[in-house]
Amino acid sequence: MPSDILHQDKGCNDEFQSGEPNLYLEAASRSGCESWAVALGEANSEGLRGKIQQLQRLIMEIKEDRTADEVQQFIPSTQTDNLAESKFTNLKRTVSEPKLEFSLEIFPLSLPFPPVPFSACKDLVAPTRDRKLNTFVQITVVHPGEQSSTRYSSTEIVEGTRDPLFLTGVTFPPDYPIYEETKIKLTVYDVKDKSQDTVRTSILAEQKEPRTDIGRSFLGSATFKVGDLVKSKEQPLTLSLRSSDGGKTFGTIDVSLVKMGETENGEADHITTDVPEQKCALVYECTYPENTSSRDNLPLLYAVLKNPICKLYRFPTSDNKWMCVREQMSESTLSFHIPKELISLHIKEDMRRNQDLNELGELAPHWDNMRKSVIAHCDQMLALYQNMLAELGKYTGSSFKSSCSKGEKTLEFVPINLHLQRMYVHSPRLKDVLYDVITVGAPAAHFQGFKNGGLQKLLNKFEAERRNTGYQCIYYSPENTAKAKEILSNINHLQPLISSQADLLLNSARQHLPDSLKNSLKMLSETTELFVHAFKDQLIRSALLALYTARPGCVLKKPTNSAEESGDQSNQEHPSQIKRQDSIPHHSEYDEEEWDRVWANVGKSLNCIIAMVDRLLEKGNAPCIIKENENDSSPTEHVESHISGDWYEQLYPLIVTLKDCIGEVVIRAKQSMSFVLLQELACSLPQCLMLTLRRDIVFSQALAGLVCGFIIKLYSSFHDQGFLQQLHTVGLIVQYEGLLSTYSEEIGMLEDMAVGISDLQKVMFKITEAKSDDLLPIITGRRGYYIIEIRLPQKMFELLPQEIKEGKLLHVYPVLFNIGINEQQTLAERFGDTSLQESVNQENLELLKEYYRLFTEKMPSDCLPHFQEQNDLKGLLENLHQNIQAKKRKNVEIMWLAATICRKLNGIRFTCCKSAKDRTSMSVTLEQCSILRDEHQLHKDFFIRALDCMRSRQTQGALNESDDPETGCLTDNKPTSRHFYPVALLLVSSHLLVVWLILSLALLLAKYQ
């Protein structure tokens, strides 16, 4: 580029000539003109390229520290490139074991120092002499073949000391792509203001601004390859902490690869100072104990869990040793699988109901119009369920529903933030223990809202309205309605079963197999007896009469004989004289005793079959089958003495008669029970169907969590024979810890939750052997009666007790204890009503006592888990009863006592709040630290430190700090002052204004204390 420089006395003009129009540069002095000349002289391509490369290096260094520019997934996608697979060696581990875990101790470069218990750093250099350091270590992963790095996790911030001890380590989940060529970078920072480096999770702000890192300063970093660490085995890998330019040395770090628990056997002070120089002990590679994990169990566990987030800690114990704690949070695939299974079941049930209503036959105009209206509304609701199922089938997002989506209509049936929170504790002197808590948002119909209350209030209002329907329809109590649904379910189950067993009996007769004939007859007899007893109910008799009156014309006929006389007379009739009855008469006189005769014919037909089989076996010199406890007279006198021909020919007419009699019973029972359901639906359309929808939504959310908890408990306690005995003998206690307030909308949520958890009493589990690799559970049954089939791999199934393998149904006993803990609960206790919470706690206390009674009656005392201090369960229950009766404000002792009782009874623990975020995480972390203190001797001086570690957002995985780890919602820069309610509302009352001011001041003082 030619350049002409024109000098003048008091300044200069530069003319820059190129292919483009000339550019004139002017300077006020000769020195300025010379600066222009130098700048233009250096403006060449090579110089610019070098400066660009230097700028890129600086940008990459800054980018590693800026979380706002690193929105990446926690678990990178697995590399599928064949070249990469052949070039890099993957660290293979069992899928239940983390690939790599390490904890951090950082020491500055200085002279040796005397032993200092529990310290990891000493004499760190601060930017200013008078200020102490607030330090943390950031772990960054550089994958092979990639230029960019991924910020994986960080330690907690240790405040106010130049000798920090980091209790947080780093763990990589089993499916994380770690190779020998993978590089791990450790960067040490000093945080000037901790409040600027932590993420606030308030829920009020809608706008999110990107964070900046002005509150932290770089101190030093070190990088190593995973392969070098693996090759070092038990020898520490010594690294130097250097400044950003690579010149100044800040200190050294020792990276060690050891087994979990290996280091913890030493004294705590030896762990931190057994190296003569100030260095860092780094890596753990851990495995689960044999009794809590097995390769055979893994398919079941990983069929329901995915995307684990792991955190590693080491805490000192009261006897000056170390214990290692691994915390894992996993999503559940059941969040969407269970709702889809349940909606499919509801669709089938509703289609059968609509078909039964259509098959009611001819009705009077009033009832026929009512039926048409009900069917029209039911068809609309059926279409809604079908659309909901279709939308869930299209869903391809994450495996859980975030709290941001709790108001989405298409995800109504999906639970909010369903996760497994697992803590694995390895203590030097105690047995390794797993502690599991299922965290989930309170089961509630958020999309439908809570303007009119929750399920409990709505159901009571609906029942009151039904009683006042007058002439429009016939009132049946909820118990009778439930009985009608049960009878219809028995019809659909028992009729095809009897038919198939009757065919098996004929097949055995055709082949002249005495043993098979006896077995087939036994099964047929048992099933038919169940069928007969299922319809021995006054409800059917009254419903048949009501249905007859709903026909276009009817005349009632008073009975001439009692039911007993009719039964005696019918017993004397020959089986050949048993004829099929016509359908319920429309325009003729209705005999009220006709149902008794039709119902009794089934038993007589069965007796004839039994007598015939006995004769056939006697003729073949086979032992007779004697039916015990038979009240009817022996029908053998009606069977011809001379039996000739084939067995099949002798039994076939009797089997046909039995099927005909059963068919008559089924027709009448199905029509009468469908008429009962018609009354329930017609009383208050469409409120009835909307209530059913709301109850289905709440139940679906509760059931998904229950099934997840059951499978996790079965997996973790599979080798505990006492637990398996308790499982099939008594059942499992399932304890829900609710943290909802009794204020505003959360009252409706609590009402929904209480009904949904109570409905879980209708759920039973059945464990079967899997015939394929699909281990996801299957749901059968109907509303009010559900069976969850859990399929196990063959090796696991063979280890179960015989009772479970034979298909025994396993019961669960859900209980809910709720204590509101937020500022809204304070207002409810001062100015509102807490009776709902009190009644829920009292009712569930009685359920818990009932389970304890059954447990003590059926189970030996030695099956209870043993801790260091075994408290008396009876005393704990009494203490819980006293705390509930005390009606103390925010009595969190109720939560702790209920959780302790649940753990000691081998139960399943749940923790719930509105969205399973803030309150839930605070409760779970407090519970975990309390367990470490009470059961594993956590050092009392480190309780708060341990709690801060578990609650620190710094220690999350490679998530953006502005993201909620459970919901994926941006939460950063939201104001923490959720207690600032609208002043305009508070000005209505001076008392409320005073309360608001006091609460706001108290929370502000607590925040900045």
Side-chain angles (χ1 to χ4, degrees):
M1 300 178 190
S3 176
D4 294 337
I5 305 176
L6 306 177
H7 299 279
Q8 298 178 357
D9 294 339
K10 296 184 179 180
C12 71
N13 291 322
D14 292 349
E15 181 181 353
F16 183 75
Q17 297 177 352
S18 63
E20 303 294 334
N22 292 346
L23 178 65
Y24 296 92
L25 308 174
E26 182 177 354
S29 63
R30 182 174 297 277
S31 60
C33 186
E34 292 176 352
S35 299
W36 277 116
V38 172
L40 292 174
E42 294 179 352
N44 56 75
S45 59
E46 292 296 328
L48 289 175
R49 185 178 295 109
K51 291 184 177 180
I52 290 174
Q53 292 177 352
Q54 182 181 4
L55 182 61
Q56 287 177 338
R57 287 194 296 270
L58 292 174
I59 291 175
M60 291 299 297
E61 185 70 23
I62 297 173
K63 187 178 179 181
E64 291 178 0
D65 305 332
R66 289 185 178 272
T67 60
D69 298 330
E70 294 182 339
V71 183
Q72 301 183 24
Q73 295 294 332
F74 171 65
I75 300 179
S77 58
T78 307
Q79 298 188 16
T80 57
D81 187 79
N82 294 332
L83 179 61
E85 290 293 339
S86 60
K87 181 178 179 181
F88 305 115
T89 303
N90 195 354
L91 300 179
K92 300 292 185 181
R93 299 289 298 172
T94 305
V95 291
S96 67
E97 304 171 0
K99 286 187 178 179
L100 202 64
E101 297 185 323
F102 49 87
S103 60
L104 300 172
E105 295 179 15
I106 303 176
F107 297 84
L109 185 64
S110 61
L111 295 176
F113 61 92
V116 180
F118 310 115
S119 79
C121 297
K122 186 177 178 65
D123 298 333
L124 296 180
V125 179
T128 58
R129 180 174 302 179
D130 298 334
R131 194 181 69 83
K132 294 184 178 181
L133 295 175
N134 301 327
T135 55
F136 74 95
V137 181
Q138 177 179 295
I139 293 85
T140 306
V141 177
V142 181
H143 296 284
E146 297 182 5
Q147 297 296 328
S148 60
S149 59
T150 301
R151 207 197 85 167
Y152 185 76
S153 66
S154 302
T155 65
E156 80 280 11
I157 298 176
V158 181
E159 299 181 77
T161 177
R162 300 186 183 186
D163 306 320
L165 169 66
F166 296 103
L167 304 179
T168 304
V170 181
T171 177
F172 293 93
D175 52 352
Y176 194 87
I178 288 290
Y179 304 90
E180 291 188 356
E181 296 299 319
T182 301
K183 294 181 180 180
I184 297 178
K185 182 178 180 180
L186 309 174
T187 309
V188 184
Y189 290 97
D190 171 38
V191 180
K192 297 181 177 62
D193 184 3
K194 183 181 177 182
S195 63
Q196 294 182 2
D197 205 76
T198 56
V199 180
R200 302 181 176 93
T201 56
S202 174
I203 63 172
L204 288 182
E206 297 295 338
Q207 303 296 327
K208 297 96 181 175
E209 300 295 334
R211 294 179 59 253
T212 60
D213 293 323
I214 58 175
R216 64 170 68 171
S217 60
F218 174 82
L219 294 180
S221 64
T223 304
F224 66 92
K225 289 185 177 180
V226 173
D228 297 336
L229 178 63
V230 174
K231 293 175 183 177
S232 67
K233 296 183 179 179
E234 297 183 1
Q235 297 298 322
L237 186 65
T238 303
L239 306 171
S240 297
L241 289 171
R242 297 186 179 275
S243 58
S244 57
D245 57 4
K248 183 180 179 181
T249 301
F250 168 73
T252 60
I253 299 180
D254 276 359
V255 184
S256 301
L257 186 68
V258 296
K259 291 290 183 180
M260 185 173 182
E262 182 175 315
T263 307
E264 289 80 349
N265 292 331
E267 296 295 331
D269 54 352
H270 293 168
I271 293 174
T272 58
T273 61
D274 55 356
V275 183
E277 299 179 0
Q278 290 107 339
K279 299 179 181 179
C280 168
L282 197 52
V283 173
Y284 286 92
E285 186 177 20
C286 308
T287 60
Y288 282 109
E290 294 183 359
N291 62 337
T292 58
S293 179
S294 170
R295 292 177 184 267
D296 298 334
N297 300 12
L298 295 175
L300 173 66
L301 183 65
Y302 284 90
V304 299
L305 296 179
K306 63 184 299 186
N307 297 338
I309 297 178
C310 302
K311 295 164 65 177
L312 179 70
Y313 314 99
R314 53 173 194 158
F315 300 131
T317 61
S318 57
D319 56 356
N320 220 28
K321 295 184 180 296
W322 289 108
M323 64 175 162
C324 191
V325 178
R326 183 190 297 124
E327 191 181 19
Q328 175 180 324
M329 183 180 69
S330 301
E331 303 168 12
S332 176
T333 59
L334 301 181
S335 293
F336 286 84
H337 174 75
I338 294 298
K340 288 190 286 189
E341 284 277 313
L342 201 58
I343 294 175
S344 299
L345 193 67
H346 293 332
I347 291 175
K348 295 177 182 178
E349 180 182 354
D350 292 346
M351 292 178 68
R352 286 196 302 266
R353 178 196 60 197
N354 293 356
Q355 182 180 357
D356 292 340
L357 291 176
N358 281 315
E359 295 175 353
L360 271 177
E362 187 179 0
L363 296 176
H366 168 73
W367 299 105
D368 191 52
N369 293 333
M370 180 184 294
R371 175 174 59 176
K372 291 178 181 179
S373 176
V374 167
I375 292 177
H377 282 85
C378 289
D379 287 340
Q380 293 177 5
M381 193 60 62
L382 183 61
L384 187 149
Y385 279 81
Q386 291 172 337
N387 293 335
M388 197 82 67
L389 182 61
E391 291 297 326
L392 287 180
K394 299 176 184 177
Y395 183 82
T396 57
S398 62
S399 58
F400 70 97
K401 184 176 80 172
S402 68
S403 62
C404 299
S405 305
K406 62 176 173 282
E408 291 188 16
K409 181 177 178 60
T410 57
L411 301 179
E412 279 188 293
F413 284 80
V414 182
I416 303 172
N417 276 334
L418 176 59
H419 288 82
L420 165 67
Q421 185 74 25
R422 165 168 288 183
M423 182 176 69
Y424 166 50
V425 184
H426 174 87
S427 300
R429 296 180 182 177
L430 299 176
K431 182 180 178 181
D432 295 352
V433 186
L434 286 175
Y435 298 95
D436 290 338
V437 178
I438 306 297
T439 59
V440 64
H446 292 275
F447 176 79
Q448 297 188 20
F450 309 96
K451 181 178 180 180
N452 298 318
L455 270 176
Q456 195 173 89
K457 180 178 180 180
L458 293 174
L459 288 173
N460 293 335
K461 181 180 178 181
F462 171 74
E463 190 60 30
E465 292 177 351
R466 283 189 60 202
R467 291 192 180 97
N468 301 322
T469 53
Y471 68 92
Q472 296 180 357
C473 59
I474 303 172
Y475 173 76
Y476 289 96
S477 67
E479 293 76 17
N480 285 335
T481 303
K483 183 66 176 178
K485 295 177 181 179
E486 181 182 352
I487 292 174
L488 288 173
S489 177
N490 289 332
I491 291 174
N492 296 325
H493 171 67
L494 293 177
Q495 185 184 19
L497 188 60
I498 292 175
S499 179
S500 62
Q501 291 174 351
D503 293 339
L504 288 176
L505 182 66
L506 288 176
N507 186 53
S508 299
R510 179 186 289 109
Q511 299 179 17
H512 284 257
L513 300 175
D515 292 336
S516 178
L517 190 66
K518 289 188 292 183
N519 293 333
S520 300
L521 179 62
K522 181 181 179 182
M523 292 189 298
L524 178 62
S525 301
E526 293 175 351
T527 307
T528 307
E529 287 180 2
L530 291 176
F531 180 86
V532 171
H533 287 293
F535 300 107
K536 191 178 181 179
D537 196 285
Q538 183 64 30
L539 176 63
I540 299 179
R541 187 194 306 273
S542 62
L544 281 171
L545 179 59
L547 177 61
Y548 174 73
T549 61
R551 300 300 185 186
C554 65
V555 179
L556 296 181
K557 174 184 176 182
K558 294 184 178 180
T560 57
N561 299 317
S562 64
E564 291 79 4
E565 294 174 349
S566 175
D568 294 339
Q569 182 179 358
S570 62
N571 287 337
Q572 298 177 0
E573 296 178 357
H574 193 276
S576 61
Q577 298 175 352
I578 301 176
K579 300 179 181 180
R580 293 189 58 182
Q581 303 291 332
D582 296 332
S583 60
I584 297 178
H586 294 179
H587 298 280
S588 61
E589 295 183 353
Y590 174 65
D591 187 356
E592 298 182 29
E593 296 179 356
E594 183 180 8
W595 168 249
D596 294 325
R597 293 193 294 270
V598 174
W599 174 70
N601 284 343
V602 176
K604 292 189 296 179
S605 299
L606 178 63
N607 292 337
C608 292
I609 294 174
I610 294 174
M612 178 61 72
V613 171
D614 287 346
R615 288 298 184 90
L616 293 175
L617 294 177
E618 286 178 3
K619 189 173 181 63
N621 295 323
C624 293
I625 300 176
I626 300 176
K627 181 173 177 62
E628 298 180 356
N629 299 327
E630 186 62 54
N631 295 326
D632 296 336
S633 61
S634 175
T636 56
E637 58 186 78
H638 305 297
V639 183
E640 297 180 1
S641 60
H642 177 68
I643 300 178
S644 60
D646 189 67
W647 288 4
Y648 178 83
E649 295 177 355
Q650 300 294 329
L651 283 175
Y652 180 76
L654 301 179
I655 294 296
V656 171
T657 302
L658 176 64
K659 290 183 177 180
D660 290 344
C661 293
I662 289 177
E664 292 297 325
V665 171
V666 166
I667 291 175
R668 286 166 168 76
K670 182 177 289 189
Q671 289 185 342
S672 62
M673 295 300 97
S674 298
F675 189 73
V676 172
L677 297 185
L678 175 64
Q679 309 308 308
E680 179 196 30
L681 296 170
C683 281
S684 54
L685 281 174
Q687 291 86 350
C688 178
L689 294 176
M690 294 304 299
L691 267 182
T692 302
L693 173 63
R694 188 184 188 103
R695 197 164 189 171
D696 288 343
I697 290 171
V698 175
F699 179 78
S700 173
Q701 298 178 23
L703 183 63
L706 174 65
V707 177
C708 178
F710 184 90
I711 293 177
I712 297 303
K713 186 64 178 179
L714 180 64
Y715 163 77
S716 60
S717 305
F718 195 79
H719 297 280
D720 186 350
Q721 294 302 316
F723 166 79
L724 295 178
Q725 182 183 357
Q726 173 187 356
L727 184 60
H728 70 80
T729 303
V730 186
L732 284 185
I733 191 73
V734 183
Q735 186 253 327
Y736 288 81
E737 176 183 304
L739 303 172
L740 295 173
S741 68
T742 54
Y743 182 84
S744 187
E745 286 190 344
E746 292 196 8
I747 298 178
M749 296 179 199
L750 181 57
E751 291 178 341
D752 277 359
M753 184 179 180
V755 174
I757 292 176
S758 177
D759 286 345
L760 293 178
Q761 299 177 26
K762 307 166 186 176
V763 176
M764 290 180 288
F765 288 84
K766 181 180 180 181
I767 301 179
T768 60
E769 181 180 353
K771 303 301 181 183
S772 65
D773 294 335
D774 185 8
L775 299 179
L776 291 175
I778 300 175
I779 305 178
T780 57
R782 56 175 174 79
R783 290 183 180 91
Y785 180 81
Y786 299 92
I787 297 178
I788 314 298
E789 181 181 340
I790 306 297
R791 295 178 287 183
L792 298 184
Q794 180 182 4
K795 292 183 179 180
M796 288 185 67
F797 185 76
E798 291 175 351
L799 300 177
L800 292 172
Q802 189 62 31
E803 294 85 351
I804 298 180
K805 289 194 290 186
E806 291 176 353
K808 184 175 182 179
L809 296 179
L810 312 175
H811 297 265
V812 291
Y813 297 84
V815 293
L816 166 65
F817 293 96
N818 185 86
I819 294 293
I821 60 173
N822 61 357
E823 65 274 10
Q824 290 184 343
Q825 183 63 21
T826 303
L827 293 178
E829 291 174 344
R830 295 286 185 180
F831 309 104
D833 182 15
T834 61
S835 59
L836 174 61
Q837 175 176 284
E838 294 168 3
S839 62
V840 167
N841 291 342
Q842 184 62 45
E843 291 172 5
N844 286 271
L845 174 63
E846 300 303 321
L847 295 176
L848 183 59
K849 288 181 177 179
E850 178 63 19
Y851 177 83
Y852 175 71
R853 184 189 64 80
L854 294 174
F855 186 91
T856 53
E857 289 178 356
K858 299 182 179 180
M859 293 294 297
S861 59
D862 57 357
C863 72
L864 292 175
H866 293 283
F867 296 94
Q868 300 171 30
E869 297 180 2
Q870 179 64 42
N871 292 319
D872 180 39
L873 276 170
K874 188 174 182 180
L876 289 173
L877 282 169
E878 182 60 30
N879 194 1
L880 178 61
H881 174 77
Q882 293 175 359
N883 277 274
I884 291 177
Q885 294 297 323
K887 298 182 180 181
K888 179 182 175 182
R889 294 176 179 173
K890 294 187 179 181
N891 190 359
V892 294
E893 186 70 15
I894 293 176
M895 299 286 95
W896 176 246
L897 288 170
T900 303
I901 294 171
C902 176
R903 286 194 300 269
K904 293 183 182 299
L905 288 174
N906 286 324
I908 306 173
R909 283 271 296 114
F910 284 80
T911 299
C912 311
C913 66
K914 179 179 180 179
S915 301
K917 292 194 303 181
D918 300 343
R919 282 171 278 181
T920 297
S921 60
M922 298 292 279
S923 175
V924 170
T925 51
L926 178 60
E927 179 183 355
Q928 290 179 164
C929 288
S930 299
I931 291 174
L932 294 178
R933 177 194 61 196
D934 299 338
E935 312 296 347
H936 299 277
Q937 301 178 357
L938 173 66
H939 197 286
K940 62 179 181 179
D941 295 337
F942 281 80
F943 180 85
I944 300 299
R945 282 284 307 277
L947 195 60
D948 289 341
C949 286
M950 291 184 177
R951 292 177 176 177
S952 173
R953 292 297 304 276
Q954 290 288 327
T955 60
Q956 298 293 340
L959 293 167
N960 185 358
E961 286 184 7
S962 63
D963 291 346
D964 191 298
E966 293 183 348
T967 67
C969 301
L970 296 179
T971 56
D972 136 86
N973 278 341
K974 293 179 180 180
T976 57
S977 55
R978 292 191 294 175
H979 51 283
F980 290 107
Y981 304 104
V983 178
L985 297 178
L986 295 171
L987 289 176
V988 176
S989 171
S990 59
H991 298 288
L992 288 178
L993 180 60
V994 171
V995 171
W996 171 69
L997 292 173
I998 294 174
L999 290 175
S1000 301
L1001 181 61
L1003 290 173
L1004 286 174
L1005 290 176
K1007 174 186 174 183
Y1008 294 106
Q1009 186 175 1

